[in-house]
Amino acid sequence: MTDDHKAIVPVWTLATGDIRVPALVGDEPMTAERLAELRGVLAVLADKPIATLEVHPLPGTLDRSRGIPLDAASPLAHHLSQLISQSARSSSVAGATSATGEGLYRMVIPAKVAAQFGQGLVCPMAAKGAAGGIRSALVNSSGIAAHATFVPVGKAAATGAVGGSAATAGVAVAGSAALTVAAPLVLMAVAVGMSANADHKRQQAIERITELLEQLQEQKLDDERNELDGCRDTIDKAAAILLDQGKLGVSLGLDSAVHAINKALAAADRRLTRWQSALDKLPDGRAVDIGTLTKSFPGIDENGGTFRAHLELAALAIALKQRVIVLQAVEHAQMDPGNPYESFARALKADQQRLDKLESGLAGVLERLSALELARPNSLLPVLTNSEVDRLMRAADRVHRLRDSIMVNSRQTDVAIEIARSRDGSVVVFPALPA
């Protein structure tokens, strides 16, 4: 982070409903470690989701192209502006730090709550050029510098009641003075962050598929890619409308886009079943001839190959479906304004379960393939030629490296959503990340 040892970081605790929790926050400064402990305690004790929101200085260089921009009139930007202005009047710390409103706002959702959003919806995004790196708007990977001092914002007015209106709700009852009811702000931040995360996955999948198809030159796979990527414009428009609390119309064509995505998911399901069946037919404990393997997994021994293209098409369909799920959840929550967060979580979880099953199945296929031992090709000669040895070694290495593609989402983690706010009130919301 860019903070120095004198940095003061205001932190709000935001509830999504009127709840009772012990007075844990108070108004004393905290370390990053203490803040992390507080999140865990609040997640255990509170019966409704509680998020924390920090405001940091904007980094000198910030790649805003990775996020979703929203103007100052959008609900998320409006709720955030209201929190800033009302907190500034009652808190000298918040007023001094967010006087201009410009900053990098970081909302952290506890792991217990984040699990409601499905296993596959939030996962690390590898940073190019850094092994194991995580893309983040913040300078360091954890997003919190240990030397920063976090000061609770006390007696802050809320940004909106549970119902999603912009009206002030006041401080949550009988709890810490720093606890505010801000369901709309939390809901919109999660929705945009999840949507940006899914779109980032889509972009990554498209890049990989394009590279593979340039090698394969297969028109059928190219048509599948084009049909899926053609849904992007419709989904982008639907996201813009819903995130501005508009209503989706038939003319938008979202139904057609969802139909194309569902077709692609059905194709991925069929391919997965075929791959699982092929693996089941292989003899247990015996080496597999590379020729036998490539009949069911064409191109598995090559850099590209049809099998890898099918995997990437499945990843693209999953990413697009995840974004649609978020949009449908937002629409569902807006239709039930009296209970937005619970409705949002339920709608996400219902459809996400199918995607979790598909992702788990694909990961299982890759795991089984990577554990296979490859046998020498069938030959009348007692000794392999140099070219056959080279092919076998390359194939074994490529098959074993399939495990590197497996995304492991079993460990629950806090989810961080970073929002860059400009002086004019407009915001850019970055893809949701494990905190």
Side-chain angles (χ1 to χ4, degrees), residues 39-285:
R39 290 193 189 104
V41 173
L42 289 175
V44 172
L45 296 181
D47 57 357
K48 288 184 181 292
I50 294 180
T52 58
L53 179 68
E54 311 151 19
V55 54
H56 302 269
L58 277 174
T61 57
L62 187 63
D63 182 10
R64 296 172 183 260
S65 64
R66 298 188 299 104
I68 293 180
L70 298 173
D71 63 33
S74 66
L76 172 60
H78 177 70
H79 292 311
L80 185 58
S81 296
Q82 199 171 30
L83 175 70
I84 294 167
S85 62
Q86 293 175 348
S87 298
R89 290 197 296 266
S90 58
S91 170
S92 59
V93 173
T97 307
S98 58
T100 64
E102 183 181 65
L104 190 62
Y105 293 78
R106 189 171 191 266
M107 183 179 293
V108 178
I109 313 291
K112 175 184 175 182
V113 179
Q116 299 176 29
F117 304 139
Q119 292 182 2
L121 205 56
V122 175
C123 60
M125 295 177 294
K128 292 181 179 179
I134 298 295
R135 288 187 179 222
S136 173
L138 295 175
V139 174
N140 69 344
S141 59
S142 67
I144 296 179
H147 48 251
T149 300
F150 297 85
V151 179
V153 179
K155 301 189 174 89
T159 60
V162 181
S165 67
T168 298
V171 180
V173 295
S176 166
L179 190 64
T180 60
V181 183
L185 177 58
V186 176
L187 168 65
M188 296 306 292
V190 171
V192 187
M194 296 292 185
S195 185
N197 179 279
D199 192 57
H200 181 81
K201 291 182 187 178
R202 179 200 63 79
Q203 293 175 19
Q204 289 182 320
I206 282 291
E207 291 173 2
R208 292 190 295 261
I209 293 171
T210 300
E211 183 178 347
L212 289 172
L213 294 185
E214 286 175 352
Q215 302 171 23
L216 291 172
Q217 296 182 339
E218 287 198 22
Q219 185 62 43
K220 186 177 179 181
L221 293 178
D222 199 42
D223 290 342
E224 284 190 53
R225 186 269 312 267
N226 291 338
E227 186 174 13
L228 278 175
D229 201 35
C231 302
R232 181 187 61 179
D233 186 58
T234 297
I235 294 175
D236 285 346
K237 287 187 175 70
I241 291 172
L242 281 178
L243 296 177
D244 283 337
Q245 290 190 332
K247 299 293 183 182
L248 297 180
V250 177
S251 61
L252 190 63
L254 189 59
D255 288 347
S256 299
V258 171
H259 177 66
I261 295 168
N262 287 341
K263 279 176 54 181
L265 289 173
D269 273 326
R270 286 195 302 273
R271 287 164 181 158
L272 173 60
T273 300
R274 188 164 64 245
W275 295 335
Q276 290 171 330
S277 177
L279 286 169
D280 290 340
K281 293 177 182 177
L282 295 178
D284 292 334

Side-chain angles (χ1 to χ4, degrees), residues 19 36 83 99 133 198 201 277 299-300 312 325 329 340 348 354 370 389 396 426:
I19 58 176
L83 175 70
K201 291 182 187 178
S277 177
I300 192 174
E312 295 302 339
I325 289 173
L348 275 176
R354 180 191 172 191
S370 66
V389 172
S426 61

Side-chain angles (χ1 to χ4, degrees), residues 278-427:
L279 286 169
D280 290 340
K281 293 177 182 177
L282 295 178
D284 292 334
R286 291 170 55 188
V288 180
D289 173 65
I290 189 64
T292 301
L293 197 60
T294 53
K295 287 180 182 178
S296 300
F297 304 91
I300 192 174
D301 59 332
E302 304 170 3
N303 281 329
T306 303
F307 172 64
R308 282 179 169 81
H310 284 161
L311 285 176
E312 295 302 339
L313 284 168
L316 175 58
I318 289 171
L320 288 169
K321 183 64 173 180
Q322 285 174 334
R323 196 167 187 210
V324 168
I325 289 173
V326 174
L327 296 180
Q328 291 172 332
V330 173
E331 184 179 28
H332 184 74
Q334 290 178 354
M335 288 189 299
D336 183 15
N339 191 12
Y341 204 93
E342 285 82 355
S343 300
F344 181 80
R346 281 196 301 271
L348 275 176
K349 187 175 182 179
D351 280 345
Q352 183 64 33
Q353 287 175 344
R354 180 191 172 191
L355 295 186
D356 288 343
K357 182 179 179 180
L358 177 58
E359 284 191 306
S360 176
L362 293 172
V365 166
L366 294 177
E367 185 69 40
R368 292 173 68 182
L369 283 170
S370 66
L372 290 177
E373 179 185 352
L374 297 186
R376 56 170 288 175
N378 293 323
S379 174
L380 297 176
L381 299 176
V383 179
L384 295 179
T385 65
N386 288 338
S387 61
E388 288 175 328
V389 172
D390 289 342
R391 185 196 175 197
L392 180 61
M393 293 182 65
R394 286 196 304 269
D397 180 61
R398 286 167 182 155
V399 170
H400 293 158
R401 281 194 285 120
L402 286 173
R403 64 166 59 92
D404 297 338
S405 305
I406 300 173
M407 296 299 295
V408 180
N409 297 304
S410 57
R411 185 177 68 86
Q412 294 183 9
T413 179
D414 293 355
V415 172
I417 299 160
E418 293 158 3
I419 306 169
R421 186 180 188 274
S422 302
R423 291 176 184 269
D424 63 1
S426 61
V427 298

